[in-house]
Amino acid sequence: MKKLYMLLFAVVLVLSACNSGGNDNSSTKNDSASVQQDKVYPVSIEDARGEKVKLEKQPKKVISLIPSNTEILYNIGAGKQVVGVTDNDTYPKEVKEKESVGGMEPNVEKIISLNPDLVLAHASTMASSSDLYKQLEDAGIKVFVVKDAQTFDATYQSIETIGALTGHVEKAEETIADMKESVKEITDKVKEVKDKKKVWVEISSDLYTAGEGTFMNEMLTLIGAENAAKDQEGWVQLSKEDVVALNPDVILTTYGAADKNAVENIKKRPGFEAVKAVETNSITDLNSDEVTRPGPRLVNGLEDMAKAVYPELYK
């Protein structure tokens, strides 16, 4: 019995040595940010600028410059590492307890004063932020610009990347798996749809909408609907006459937080009384954050969209 105990003890020591060794030389593979276990450093990943950003150890202080990054950080368990956010951050509620570094134009001095190990920026504001990045990097602060995700797959990649940078790889992978499962449940349900409904997505009251190549277009495709603006490219503005001519079956708005009367105002527009969506009262204002922020809550927005377009499937 004593020999058996000693043998088992030796095996445990060997396994412990194997698990603790080799971590120093592990790193991610560029864009894929593929790390096999949590907290493997150094980590070297290429950001949206094409810059290789290398972290020697897990960052203890992280500042997020856009709400989608913040939501990802909290979802993957990195909330305690967050020391700064923007005025635009609203979710989760804990972000209100964090220091604000400003709005669309962050306060450089404030960021530097918080002494972060990592600043997570975003490609959507990259064109106007090059001076900001330089000032931060000149101050010895690591800046990583997250790519502007316009698809679910790209969002998964952003989550994976942020997980690798912050040392929460396993939780990031769990988040991605949960999102994929939710998307599959929704897409499986809409397979029952025989006649696709035409949907007009109204981004603002001055009739901006989402055409091909946008996240909104992909979401409509996933729920088995037809984008009324499918012949357009990117974010475009149409006229009232154009929308009436498109005659959508459903109208979805995403600006209700700024206009509580958005749905009623659409019903009152001259000429819109003949639009199918108005005739059947098929107008829904969606939670803008859940359909525009490329993060974990996109699946909530996708389901709400499916319910609004095909309510009969969810009765």
Side-chain angles (χ1 to χ4, degrees), residues 63-67 70 83-90 95-96 98-114 119-120 125 129 132 136 293:
I63 290 178
S64 170
L65 299 185
I66 197 166
T70 305
V83 296
V85 295
T86 71
D87 297 339
N88 302 313
D89 282 270
T90 56
V95 300
K96 292 301 179 184
K98 302 294 183 178
E99 292 277 355
S100 173
V101 297
M104 294 301 292
E105 296 183 4
N107 186 312
V108 178
E109 290 77 16
K110 181 66 175 179
I111 294 174
I112 294 174
S113 72
L114 293 173
V119 170
L120 283 177
T125 59
S129 301
L132 169 68
L136 294 177
R293 293 181 180 178

Side-chain angles (χ1 to χ4, degrees), residues 11-122:
V11 170
V12 170
L13 286 177
V14 172
L15 289 176
S16 297
C18 290
N19 288 335
S20 63
N23 285 356
D24 291 342
N25 296 322
S26 299
S27 63
T28 59
K29 294 182 180 179
N30 298 334
D31 291 341
S32 65
S34 57
V35 178
Q36 299 305 310
Q37 62 189 70
D38 278 3
K39 302 179 183 178
V40 179
Y41 293 91
V43 171
S44 181
I45 309 174
E46 186 177 295
D47 73 357
R49 299 171 295 176
E51 297 284 343
K52 275 284 189 67
V53 179
K54 185 176 182 179
L55 298 179
E56 297 292 344
K57 57 184 179 180
Q58 184 181 31
K60 293 182 179 180
K61 293 182 177 182
V62 180
I63 290 178
S64 170
L65 299 185
I66 197 166
S68 57
N69 287 347
T70 305
E71 292 196 19
I72 292 172
L73 285 164
Y74 273 87
N75 190 273
I76 65 173
K80 290 182 179 179
Q81 291 159 254
V82 177
V83 296
V85 295
T86 71
D87 297 339
N88 302 313
D89 282 270
T90 56
Y91 187 90
K93 62 182 181 181
E94 289 81 3
V95 300
K96 292 301 179 184
E97 301 169 6
K98 302 294 183 178
E99 292 277 355
S100 173
V101 297
M104 294 301 292
E105 296 183 4
N107 186 312
V108 178
E109 290 77 16
K110 181 66 175 179
I111 294 174
I112 294 174
S113 72
L114 293 173
N115 194 29
D117 305 305
L118 175 66
V119 170
L120 283 177
H122 196 264

Side-chain angles (χ1 to χ4, degrees), residues 2 25 68 89 124 127 134 162 181-182:
K2 185 176 181 180
N25 296 322
S68 57
D89 282 270
S124 61
K134 185 178 187 307
I162 293 175
E181 183 179 353
S182 296

Side-chain angles (χ1 to χ4, degrees), residues 296-315:
R297 290 198 296 163
L298 276 177
V299 293
N300 299 344
L302 187 68
E303 183 173 42
D304 287 345
M305 187 180 287
K307 288 178 178 178
V309 177
Y310 298 113
E312 64 275 10
L313 297 180
Y314 287 86
K315 287 181 178 178

